[in-house]
Amino acid sequence: MKRRAFNWSLFAASASLVFPFSRFQLRINGQRLNQHLSELAQFGKTPEGGTHRVAYSAEDLQARDYAMKLMREAKLEVSVDAAGNIVGRRAGSDAARKPLMIGSHIDSVPAGGSYDGQVGSMGAIEVAQTLAENNVRLRHPLEVVLFQNEEGGTIGSAALARPLTDKDLSIVTNSKKTIREGIQFIGGDPDKLASVVRKKGDLAGYVELHIEQGGLLHQEQINIGVVEGIVGVNWWEVTIDGFANHAGTTPMNQRKDALLAAAKYIDAVNRIVTSVPGRQVGTVGKIQAFPGAFNIVPGRVATSLGLRDLDAAKVQMLYEKIQAEVRQIEVATGTKFDFKQVTSSQPAPTDARFRRVIDEAARALGFTTKLLPSGAGHDAQEIAHLCPIGMIFIPSRDGISHSPREFSTPADITNGANVLLHTLLKLDAMNL
Ligand code: HGY
Ligand code: MN
Ligand code: MN
């Protein structure tokens, strides 16, 4: 009797009923992800081993082209929106569902590090590539977004949440271009920003992978941070006007010394911000005296103020206390202060369901987790105006960031991207 050939396809089909290929067996390619990160770091690499790639710079443009190449290799449909954000799209199996968005930013602060924003951006592309090469189609459409100019005040993500104003567009950035010029430089169209704005409900959710930038996870040897909320970030340009005069012939009691006033102001900010309990922070990050010579009493100082906290009312209280003390400094030094607010992002709590999903995904992968706030601002807090958000942190060595010494290990980066992948898969199975 003729033996019938073994029917392998029937076997595979029946086996898959018994041992369904679980999407949760998927893992990202950590070696490829870390390779992409080190290639990205070449654009704007500094002698100190960090990254200087401010938004709208030549290095930023080169890095954007590199990232778009990777997004196309990940089988995403890539475009640049009118605000200059890079958007990679893939259709879902259920056209009725709103997109799930993942992403971050690839611009850096001046003389910064090679991980802030970059881990989340390359990690999101890696997740998309892993899904594509395993033929996993989500129910929800997928959007991978690299937001432009996050470091200049979450500009690209803000453009999705609200129309950027002429005041926004006229801000001069670290690249010395205005935001309007910068958007044109990177391929956006500042006259069509209305086309970028999304409505609440246009997205099913947004999840961002990011380095912690603080030291808690590293100190406590925790693998994954589940972010409970993101602080509101408020920046002001501060100008102090006194009277420039001869540094030799002007008696000490007849001076209007703008730099002396600045010294009193800087001390006042630190004293006031540390005078109340909590995790609020206040920083004077920039200062320049004019004309700036040994033999001239400074007539003008350009400086700054940054205030952050999870509670917007506390920020307002601190700002008012600082204003009251500045009035006294003006009288004592004969100077005049002017505060021009340049950015104000609202504190943003993450979504409880997203926190639970991130925690479950991390634990299922065998990682330890910790719930913690974000002292840094992120694009996620702008997108929080549109949909529920979640954030995944990985450890920053010694809590260093915005520095060439910023560092996260390849293993932690791989862990974070796997948590992002599995969070996305879990969210995709939910009715958000
Ligand atoms: O400034 C921040 O908190 C963020 O890194 N842009
Ligand atoms: Mn960042
Ligand atoms: Mn940053």
Side-chain angles (χ1 to χ4, degrees), residues 14 17 26 54 108 111 118 132 155 185 229 318 346 421 427:
S14 46
L17 291 176
L26 277 180
V54 298
S108 81
Q118 299 148 86
I155 300 300
F185 181 73
L318 292 168
Q346 286 303 308
L421 169 65
L427 292 174

Side-chain angles (χ1 to χ4, degrees), residues 105 107-109 116-117 150-151 210 213 376-378 401-402 406:
H105 64 96
D107 64 297
S108 81
V109 292
D116 173 358
E150 188 276 345
E151 297 295 1
H210 206 283
Q213 299 182 284
H378 298 287
S401 181
H402 284 189
E406 187 179 272

